[in-house]
Amino acid sequence: MRCALWLSLLVAGAILSPTPVRAQGNDAVLTAPQVFALAERYQREGKPGAAEVLLESLTRDRDPDIRAEARFRLGQSRMQRRDYGGAVESFTALLAEKPNAQPARIALARALALDGRLEAAARQLRRAQSAGLPQDVQRLVDRFGDVLRRTRPYGMNVEFGIAPDSNINQATQSRTLDIAGFPLAIDDSGRASSGVGLTASADAFATVPLGPGASLVSRVAANSNFYRQHRFDDLLISASTGPESTIGRTVVRSALTYTWRQFGGRRYSQGIGGSLQILSPAGKTAQIGATITLSDQHYRISAQNGIQLAATASYEKSLSARLYARLEATLQRIDAKADAYATTSFGGSVSLSRDLGQATLYVDAGYLRTNADGPFALFGAGRRDDRIDLSAGAAWKRLSILGLTPVVRLHQSFNRSPLTIYQFKRTRVELTVTEQF
């Protein structure tokens, strides 16, 4: 509330341009200050709809300062009506023209938080802080950041669309395998297949307070890809539940986890385990994190059964008000029953995102090295794989259709291996829409 009060005081002190505009429903030509005053009067009289009509007309003014002021007030009005999605749209449009308007960026963070998009809200706060804030404002932002660490009682995200894919089964393009110097033909089911699939994902969470600074957080997620060739249909379901605690400015999350995967209409794997995650600020504009997961996995092929351990470390930083970076290092261990399937992997990734106002762009590059404990008896060699993943995408926040945000992603993957069956390259395009509830 104090953050909202501070933002209101900033707006009240803004210098308004006298560019004339025509008030709707009146033939008289009013100056912008007069229209703002009339909108303010409508607000006091409990007529936010009439006030927003006037403010909306000023968002098309020739003067960029008037447009910015109108969008800021429009966003505030929508916040008061609890139209948080509309407020996000107003503040985002303002920042598209004036990316250094830090009060608007903080207001956007607040609107995102109230709309349930906590990670996006925290990211906007770090961007605001990267540009530098007065000390008194910084204290307010710090308190707002503390509020952000308290999650909503529940929330959900849904995404669906189509995905043209050059290698839907992530298989080799080779026609033969070399076994002891003799070529063995690979049938079509074992080679790379292309297709256009339906892709869909959903995740939901619920939070139950346990006491000061602690809560029980439960999550469930599903990711799916369906094709005309049903033998390549892929469905992954995961669930977790456990306590989340806030210690100072550090968040600690632990959970029991369960995963289940179906491929080609048959169960592929399932596992049960646990995870531990720690997130902590690193200065005013950065965040560090560490995650450890442990699970007992059972596969369709029993030789792959075993304990899996993964550890990641991440560093996120707002480089400017619009540019965001993330670094991640990964270590994985699969202790499978058979040495040929038991592997140790290590790698890392780097990603950058750029807020353009109307859209957010991102690029990501990752590398993973995988070494097997032993060879496959049939091939006389083991895995020594090098995998590269590249991706880029965009989400058009200002082009939402019925509340759905269009998203485009391009993925490119390459895996080099001494074993032909593990060699592949893949290009995938995702054309989807997404919505958060």
Side-chain angles (χ1 to χ4, degrees), residues 121-411:
R123 192 173 299 118
Q124 291 297 334
L125 276 188
R126 287 194 285 271
R127 286 173 172 168
Q129 292 170 315
S130 70
L133 296 171
Q135 186 174 1
D136 55 340
V137 177
Q138 182 62 57
R139 286 195 294 268
L140 288 170
V141 170
D142 288 342
R143 284 196 287 272
F144 182 27
D146 293 337
V147 173
L148 277 182
R149 282 180 278 278
R150 305 171 189 171
T151 60
R152 284 199 314 164
Y154 57 86
M156 184 176 184
N157 181 78
V158 176
E159 183 172 334
F160 59 91
I162 61 173
D165 197 321
S166 68
N167 191 347
I168 59 180
N169 54 333
Q170 199 165 283
T172 181
Q173 293 180 311
S174 177
R175 295 183 176 275
T176 60
L177 287 176
D178 187 4
I179 301 178
F182 296 96
L184 178 66
I186 305 175
D187 63 21
D188 291 341
S189 63
R191 298 178 58 244
S193 297
S194 61
V196 178
L198 298 176
T199 182
S201 64
D203 60 84
F205 71 89
T207 303
V208 178
L210 298 178
S215 57
L216 178 68
V217 181
S218 300
R219 303 177 186 273
V220 62
N223 294 275
S224 61
N225 292 280
F226 299 103
Y227 303 94
R228 180 177 300 177
Q229 301 164 291
H230 294 301
R231 68 179 185 274
F232 298 132
D233 289 350
D234 196 356
L235 173 63
L236 174 64
I237 297 175
S238 61
S240 65
T241 185
E244 176 179 302
S245 302
T246 302
I247 305 172
R249 301 181 65 189
T250 299
V251 177
V252 180
R253 300 168 179 161
S254 58
L256 295 175
T257 62
Y258 174 78
T259 58
W260 180 87
R261 184 178 180 185
Q262 182 186 79
F263 189 81
R266 299 172 55 199
R267 182 182 67 83
Y268 178 78
S269 66
Q270 66 177 350
I272 188 170
S275 66
L276 176 65
Q277 182 183 42
I278 300 175
L279 298 172
S280 183
K284 297 179 180 179
T285 63
Q287 175 179 271
I288 57 174
T291 304
I292 297 177
T293 60
L294 180 69
S295 63
D296 184 11
Q297 292 286 332
H298 293 264
Y299 290 86
R300 188 186 302 172
I301 301 175
S302 61
Q304 294 178 288
N305 295 347
I307 300 296
Q308 296 188 7
L309 175 67
T312 62
S314 63
Y315 177 77
E316 303 178 39
K317 183 174 178 60
S318 180
L319 303 178
S320 70
R322 289 193 167 197
L323 186 62
Y324 202 80
R326 175 183 172 88
L327 300 174
E328 184 173 283
T330 303
L331 177 64
Q332 301 174 356
R333 173 61 188 173
I334 300 177
D335 195 20
K337 184 183 299 184
D339 287 347
Y341 292 110
T343 60
T344 300
S345 303
F346 59 89
S349 65
V350 57
S351 60
L352 294 171
S353 65
R354 172 78 173 179
D355 185 357
L356 301 180
Q358 294 187 356
T360 299
L361 306 181
Y362 85 91
V363 292
D364 183 90
Y367 168 78
L368 189 68
R369 171 71 177 189
T370 299
N371 297 321
D373 288 4
F376 285 92
L378 183 63
F379 306 121
R383 295 184 63 184
R384 296 291 185 271
D385 296 7
D386 294 290
R387 174 168 176 161
I388 295 176
D389 291 288
L390 306 173
S391 63
W396 281 268
K397 299 172 289 186
R398 298 281 305 278
L399 296 179
S400 61
I401 304 171
L402 299 177
L404 301 174
T405 301
V407 180
V408 176
R409 302 186 187 91
L410 172 64
H411 303 279

Side-chain angles (χ1 to χ4, degrees), residues 92-133:
T92 300
L94 192 165
L95 289 166
E97 290 191 348
K98 293 182 174 292
N100 295 321
Q102 299 312 321
R105 192 168 297 280
I106 296 171
L108 173 60
R110 181 168 178 261
L112 287 166
L114 292 172
D115 198 39
R117 292 178 265 181
L118 300 179
E119 292 186 5
R123 192 173 299 118
Q124 291 297 334
L125 276 188
R126 287 194 285 271
R127 286 173 172 168
Q129 292 170 315
S130 70
L133 296 171

Side-chain angles (χ1 to χ4, degrees), residues 39 42-43 45-55 74 77 80-81:
Y42 283 150
Q43 290 283 9
E45 294 175 352
K47 302 175 182 178
E52 290 181 16
V53 169
L54 294 176
L55 294 172
L74 183 60
S77 178
Q80 292 174 358
R81 293 193 296 103

